[in-house]
Amino acid sequence: QVDVVESGGGSVQAGGSLRLSCVASGDIPECMGWFRQVPGKEREGVAAICSGRPIDSNVARGRFTVSQDNAKKTLYLEMNNLKPQDTSMYYCAASQVQWAFLRADLYNVWGRGTQVTVSS
């Protein structure tokens, strides 16, 4: 019903910025979110928009901004003041559950990921 494709990753120095984009096709999801995962660690919620309302994680708060276009088909993650600990594979996900928020287990559709690398 829905497919998501993310892009915008890259390599930056600490303090730099990146903007990730996620394009959804098919049905409009109730939630679209950004998650990140490094090898050996559990998938971590970064930020999401559910029913038009943004939800920030502690990681995102103050540095990252999640937004959505008017058609609710594209999700963005503006990342500022990046730190080496932000280095990860970032995934876009979609859910039909309105209260999915930052719970990875409630998202059913996942992109293939885009790599973000932050050097000191």
Side-chain angles (χ1 to χ4, degrees):
Q1 292 185 329
V2 63
D3 184 50
V4 295
V5 179
E6 63 269 78
S7 62
S11 298
V12 297
Q13 293 183 343
S17 300
L18 285 173
R19 187 184 72 171
L20 306 184
S21 300
C22 174
V23 179
S25 59
D27 294 343
I28 299 175
E30 297 293 336
C31 290
M32 293 185 67
W34 290 102
F35 298 80
R36 67 186 188 183
Q37 187 172 28
V38 298
K41 293 188 63 178
E42 192 174 84
R43 193 167 300 177
E44 178 185 28
V46 178
I49 292 181
C50 295
S51 299
R53 184 169 64 183
I55 300 98
D56 292 335
S57 66
N58 290 332
V59 170
R61 195 170 299 111
R63 296 192 300 128
F64 299 171
T65 302
V66 63
S67 61
Q68 196 172 46
D69 68 349
N70 292 332
K72 299 182 179 180
K73 287 284 189 175
T74 305
L75 187 73
Y76 301 97
L77 184 67
E78 186 72 34
M79 303 185 294
N80 299 310
N81 192 24
L82 284 163
K83 303 175 181 180
Q85 66 190 72
D86 296 318
T87 296
S88 183
M89 184 73 73
Y90 284 73
Y91 298 90
C92 178
S95 176
Q96 298 298 332
V97 180
Q98 292 182 345
W99 52 92
F101 301 154
L102 299 176
R103 296 178 57 176
D105 60 304
L106 296 181
Y107 286 79
N108 297 323
V109 178
W110 294 86
R112 287 172 287 184
T114 183
Q115 179 68 39
V116 171
T117 302
V118 184
S119 60
S120 60

